[in-house]
Amino acid sequence: MLLAVAVLSGFVMALAAPWLHRIARSTSGWVLALFPVALTVYFAGQAGRVAAGEVLAVSIDWVPSLGIALSFYLDGLSLLFALMISGIGALVVVYAGGYLAGHAHLGRFYAFLLMFLASMLGLVLANNVITLFVFWELTSVSSYLLIGFEHEREAARQAALQALLVTGLGGLALLAGLLLLGQAGGSMELSELLTRGEAIQAHPFYAPILLLILAGAFTKSAQFPFHFWLPSAMEAPTPVSAYLHSATMVKAGIYLLARFNPVLGGTELWFYIVTAAGAATMLIGAYLALQQSDLKRILAYSTMSALGMMVLLLGLGTELAVKAAIVSILVHALYKGALFLVAGAVDHETGTRDVDRLGGLRRAMPITAAAAALAALSMAGLPPLFGFIGKEMVYEAVFEAPTAVVLLTGVVVLSSMFLLAVAGVAGLRPFFGERASTPKHPHEAPLSLWLGPFLLAGLGLFSGLFPGAAGWLVSPAVAATWGQSTGVELALFHGWSPVLLLSAITVAGGLGLFAGRSACRRAASRLAIGSRWGATRWYELALDGINRLARAQTRFLQSGYLRYYLLTIIATMLGLTAYTLLSRAGLPVPQGSLQVPLYQAVLAGLILLAALAAVRLQTRLGAVAALGVVGYGVALIFVLFGAPDLAMTQFLVETLTVILLVLVLYHLPRFATLSTRRERVRDMAVALLAGGLMTALVLAAAAVQPQLEVSSYMADHSAALAHGRNVVNVILVDFRGLDTFGEITVLAVVGIGVYSLLKLRIRKGDRP
Amino acid sequence: MNTWMAFVIGGLYAAGLYMMMRRSIVKLIIGLALLSHAANLLIFTVGGLTRGRPPLIAAGETSLAAPFADPIPQALVLTAIVISFGVLAFALVLVHRTHQTVGTDDLDNLKATDT
């Protein structure tokens, strides 16, 4: 139960955050951080039980008939993510308090941030697939709010919308995939589904399930070709980028892949799609990262590359690859979180994020510089940092890939060279070398700004020196991903092996790229592949296309002319009803004889003639008179067929109508011919078709024997129960009295409307 | 008579719909009136036509003796007649005011909210 409280309390905290911020003022970041700290302590407290193989679960019924429950469970994989989310969350909340100090909407920012934290926890702890989806979408929504936090700027709004559209569309695909998965697996609970991998892989739905779930994972984790929203999302305030776009949200897709690895993984389809997407993303991200000069965009593209590497490893699906992937998740969260926070601190202190304008900051900002250097070395994969262990494991895993070893190794090594150069540009270059002049005079950042990067980078060093601690956290996660328990031995030195040689080559190549980065950037800008063929362009084309389509169809359907609305309605009704009638019953034929008494035939002819006259007559009075004849004719029909009440009412109403029409028409202009001949012919054709359809309907209805149970009840009981002999009247005032009351209300409203319209006097110049 | 009625109803629908598609606002109202007649007759006819047997319980009887005209469509049509009169009356007054204010009876000149 505590598990559900841990997830849901975040939403309560989010509501309370603006209020707490108003009380705590400048210390609000520290105060609010107590909440994620408490969560971290709670999750860390469960680590022992989880490491022992225990699984915590809690379930609250939601829609039991559909198999939907608000259920959570905690295994090794969930625990690793939960600790990252709450731990880094605490640091980011503190950081935000310093970074956005004095911002008018800081309270709101905390609310969004905590809402995101709670959504993310719900996502990684969810057991029911619908619960998973709901929290998945909640992370999209809260990330929309966070990216668009500075909503006065158009760029921020567009970036937020772009991220929402891309991840939202992916979310829809994911929902479809999860529902199919539930069908194929016969359960909505993940813990159940995880044991039914073979049945699901043999199911005919397997391919669509896989493709749909991958669409969700790839959009969320910014895999090529859905990567473009991630660099745009750098419009967000830096704490958001550090939290969402490095450590947590973009890892949701990785989490999904890891989570479903035992169910969906291990097939050829999985291997080719996932590995290829990962490899492409890894290489493209690393290459693009080196072309950027904005610190945050550099980090965004390198994040994309790192995510690609994790996807690639999960695609390989070997035991070594899964281990390397899980270790990479932790490695990356530590160094990239730190580097983003450093980037924010640098921006905060110097007023610029342009790496070409930064340099030699180590004397002004020694603590930040130390944190940045440690994180950069970890990112570069140099010993004795945690990043080195991670990279060695990646190389080992790729080395033993099932196929295409040379190609994959080449991609990974090349990307790692680029990333090493990028680490130099983003983490070392601003702090070392010559002192460059910056818009603001830099000072060491306050405690709240350096605490986060310092702790994260320090953890990277600690985990590198004492890998056992990290291994204790990683191995239950690997067991959950791999599907069976397995030991994870983390060590700095793996012995003399080809892998070590590859590492040496990587370092040499990376240093070369670092030195030649300007030339590399110039060459790339001449090619300009991105702006011409990049995914952003496709996104814009698609968005424009959808908007243009919406405009065109709105202009077509919402023309503003009443007759076209009517025409559309009539044509639609005509098409649908005629189709149903003809396909179900065929063209109805008149039943019974056409022989009727002469007076009835005359009456019918009179009504039709009068209707024709009402249409054709060009004088107003003539048309009204013809309308009156139609009304009286209808009343006569009521008289003939046993409806005296209707006839009386009809005579009365028709008389009133004619009087009213004459009174009003007296003030209106004569009829003029307003439409062209072609329009009239078109309208006439439509009207005649609709009339013909109604005729056919009546003929078809005549073949159906009317059901008289209700009528017989009324006929039998109206005298006994309601003491009335006129059954129609009894129905109106007794059996269905409330309906009549409603009708009287309508008439009263009409009366008020008519009266006020007649009494209304609009003075000249008194425009409403 | 049923077949005859089917053609009367179809004719009234055609006339009503044609008039509603005119540009003159007065023709629109006449079309509306024709359409209500058509709908009333439709309900009345589809419920079954019984000649000369109104649903009135004779004095001394406790229930209707078959055959009798079905009272339910009649109750429905009665409601419909009254309501369509209400609609017509309101529409007429609205047209009157519109013409007074805007000075046109051409619906195409009534597309904007500004007068």
Side-chain angles (χ1 to χ4, degrees), chain B residues 7-8 10 20 26 32 48 58 64 67 81 85 87-90 92 110 112:
Chain B
F7 285 98
V8 171
M20 286 178 74
V26 181
L32 206 61
L64 273 178
I81 293 173
F85 173 68
V87 171
L88 200 75
F90 186 76
L92 263 179
L110 294 175

Side-chain angles (χ1 to χ4, degrees), chain A residues 32-345:
Chain A
L32 282 166
L34 290 176
F35 170 67
V37 166
L39 284 177
T40 316
V41 171
Y42 166 71
F43 286 120
Q46 311 302 320
R49 292 164 71 184
V50 170
E54 213 175 312
V55 170
L56 280 81
V58 54
S59 178
I60 304 162
D61 271 351
W62 192 352
V63 190
S65 54
L66 295 175
I68 299 173
L70 195 65
S71 57
F72 301 104
Y73 84 136
L74 184 72
D75 67 350
L77 187 64
S78 307
L79 181 70
L80 174 68
F81 274 90
L83 275 174
M84 290 194 317
I85 292 160
S86 47
I88 299 179
L91 297 176
V92 167
V93 169
V94 169
Y95 185 90
Y99 188 81
L100 290 171
H103 194 290
H105 298 307
L106 181 54
R108 189 190 295 171
F109 185 79
Y110 286 131
F112 294 161
L113 202 65
L114 290 176
M115 177 181 155
F116 171 78
L117 184 145
S119 316
M120 199 65 210
L121 275 180
L123 165 57
V124 299
L125 293 172
N127 190 2
N128 191 284
V129 292
I130 298 298
T131 310
L132 175 88
F133 170 74
V134 168
F135 284 106
W136 179 278
E137 290 297 63
L138 276 174
T139 61
S140 291
V141 171
S142 45
S143 90
Y144 171 76
L145 296 171
L146 284 168
I147 298 172
F149 179 66
E150 289 163 9
H151 55 82
E152 296 86 358
R153 289 187 301 118
E154 197 194 348
R157 293 199 301 273
Q158 275 181 358
L161 184 65
Q162 191 180 51
L164 184 71
L165 285 178
V166 175
T167 56
L169 274 178
L172 287 182
L174 175 70
L175 175 63
L178 290 175
L179 290 177
L180 284 181
L181 181 69
Q183 286 280 314
S187 170
M188 298 296 252
E189 299 291 308
L190 274 174
S191 45
E192 292 278 317
L193 290 168
L194 287 178
T195 61
R196 298 180 193 170
E198 276 172 33
I200 291 167
Q201 293 191 0
H203 201 276
F205 286 170
Y206 172 70
I209 291 173
L210 180 64
L211 291 177
L212 288 166
I213 290 183
L214 287 183
F218 285 179
T219 47
K220 200 81 161 182
S221 282
Q223 295 300 295
F224 179 82
F226 309 113
H227 60 278
F228 54 89
W229 69 265
L230 184 58
S232 313
M234 293 303 117
E235 293 295 338
T238 305
V240 175
S241 309
Y243 192 37
L244 274 66
H245 305 128
S246 71
T248 56
M249 190 179 83
V250 289
K251 298 252 173 67
I254 309 292
Y255 168 79
L256 204 65
L257 293 180
R259 173 53 79 207
F260 284 113
N261 184 46
V263 187
L264 301 172
T267 61
E268 265 191 19
L269 195 63
W270 166 285
F271 172 79
Y272 283 114
I273 299 179
V274 179
T275 310
T281 311
M282 183 180 189
L283 198 57
I284 294 171
Y287 167 77
L288 289 174
L290 199 61
Q291 318 305 329
Q292 311 298 320
S293 59
D294 176 17
L295 211 45
K296 280 180 75 179
R297 287 180 77 87
I298 296 175
L299 293 174
Y301 278 111
S302 73
T303 300
M304 178 186 148
S305 177
L307 292 169
M309 186 180 72
M310 294 168 209
V311 169
L312 184 156
L313 290 168
L314 288 170
L316 290 181
T318 60
E319 193 176 342
L320 272 175
V322 168
K323 283 182 191 170
I326 301 293
V327 171
S328 300
I329 291 172
L330 190 57
V331 168
H332 180 254
L334 293 179
Y335 78 70
K336 195 52 69 63
L339 282 177
F340 261 113
L341 295 178
V342 164

